[in-house]
Amino acid sequence: TGSSRPQRMLKAVQKNATKGDPKSVISAIDYYCRHKEWAMNVGDDKGLILDSVLTEVNPSTALELGTYCGYSSVRIARLLSPDSKLITIEFNPAFAAIARQIIAYAGLQDKVILVEGASGDLIPKMKERFGIKSFDFVFLDHWKDRYVPDTKLLEDCGLLKKGTVLLADNVICPGAPEYLKYVRNNPRYESRYYPSNLEYTKVEDGLEKSVFLE
Ligand SMILES: CCNc1ncnc2c1ncn2[C@@H]1O[C@H](/C=C/CNC(=O)c2cc(-c3ccc(F)cc3)cc(O)c2O)[C@@H](O)[C@H]1O
Ligand SMILES: [Mg+2]
């Protein structure tokens, strides 16, 4: 049987990027997905917004929901301070296997903890398994209809603190209407929309940044 899109993406990284150089891994994936084969990475345009929010927050502990091939894990981890960590959750073992290799190729395996499983099962285990008190930053990029339930779960598990920043991908395309309703009409969040475009296209999309207030 043939290769998968994630496997071809990994090949493009191994062929075109420099081992241990996160920037070259990001460029290799962006080039491949823009010119050869589209894939659902947050991409270079929205990636610049992700970078700027991350630099502003400078999180000690970050959480990502939906690793896919690890593109945004590399984007996030490359900007973390020395003792900071990214925990990224992925429930598809094939995607997780590719992501581990891409994260390792970038030399970021010591800053990223990739956990295989469903967010709904793993979020309640974050404290006991990883000694996490709360997250400073959460990037939501998994199934769009899971953004609201998982945000509520993070609240209920006491994993959000005053000032925690949630950044959600795809709030326009494919869209996360329930999530926008939830965070925008909610006194516990201060929300702002960052317009951009769907990765590698001219279609409108954007990121929603929501600061937890209490
Ligand atoms: C069950 C919920 N819990 C989960 N726990 C852990 N991992 C999960 C979970 N859900 C999904 N995942 C994983 O996250 C990833 C899924 C992401 C879903 N993303 C999208 O559908 C998406 C889709 C598009 C898109 C946009 C326009 C199109 F025409 C076609 C596709 C663009 C994006 O940026 C996207 O993020 C996969 O790796 C999946 O295995
Ligand atoms: Mg996305």
Side-chain angles (χ1 to χ4, degrees):
T1 60
S3 66
S4 69
R5 186 178 310 220
Q7 281 168 328
R8 292 191 292 272
M9 202 187 303
L10 171 60
K11 285 266 167 304
V13 165
Q14 292 165 334
K15 181 164 171 282
N16 305 310
T18 307
K19 215 166 168 27
D21 174 1
K23 201 162 165 292
S24 73
V25 168
I26 292 165
S27 310
I29 294 173
D30 284 333
Y31 184 89
Y32 182 76
C33 294
R34 187 177 284 280
H35 300 291
K36 301 278 192 296
E37 189 175 26
W38 188 91
M40 60 181 178
N41 315 119
V42 71
D44 39 3
D45 300 332
K46 288 184 288 180
L48 288 174
I49 300 167
L50 171 60
D51 290 357
S52 68
V53 172
L54 265 167
T55 308
E56 174 199 326
V57 178
N58 188 25
S60 307
T61 53
L63 173 68
E64 176 180 58
L65 303 178
T67 316
Y68 186 43
C69 295
Y71 173 89
S72 44
S73 304
V74 169
R75 273 207 96 106
I76 293 167
R78 88 189 200 284
L79 294 176
L80 294 180
S81 316
D83 298 331
S84 301
K85 288 270 179 280
L86 168 69
I87 294 181
T88 182
I89 300 178
E90 174 54 54
F91 72 2
N92 180 314
F95 294 164
I98 297 293
R100 282 191 207 289
Q101 294 174 78
I102 288 181
I103 291 161
Y105 199 89
L108 294 166
Q109 64 285 349
D110 296 343
K111 303 181 85 74
V112 181
I113 301 169
L114 197 163
V115 196
E116 272 185 57
S119 50
D121 301 334
L122 289 167
I123 286 170
K125 296 184 175 127
M126 282 295 134
K127 293 195 179 216
E128 87 203 48
R129 274 215 198 159
F130 303 104
I132 302 284
K133 281 199 306 297
S134 61
F135 289 107
D136 307 302
F137 178 83
V138 182
F139 183 54
L140 297 94
D141 194 19
H142 59 333
W143 285 348
K144 311 314 161 194
D145 62 357
R146 302 294 303 180
Y147 285 14
V148 174
D150 283 348
T151 299
K152 288 179 172 172
L153 189 55
L154 285 164
E155 290 172 16
D156 297 345
C157 294
L159 286 165
L160 305 183
K161 68 179 182 193
K162 185 172 168 42
T164 296
V165 170
L166 305 185
L167 192 64
D169 190 23
N170 311 115
V171 294
I172 303 300
C173 177
E178 305 80 16
Y179 180 75
L180 289 182
K181 263 203 300 289
Y182 182 71
V183 289
R184 289 179 175 175
N185 313 329
N186 190 330
R188 301 178 78 185
Y189 293 93
E190 181 64 44
S191 252
R192 176 181 164 188
Y193 174 62
Y194 290 78
S196 184
N197 44 276
L198 176 69
E199 49 268 27
Y200 318 118
T201 76
K202 292 188 170 35
V203 173
E204 185 186 349
D205 189 20
L207 302 173
E208 186 82 0
K209 176 190 166 193
S210 307
V211 184
F212 190 61
L213 297 174
E214 79 194 46

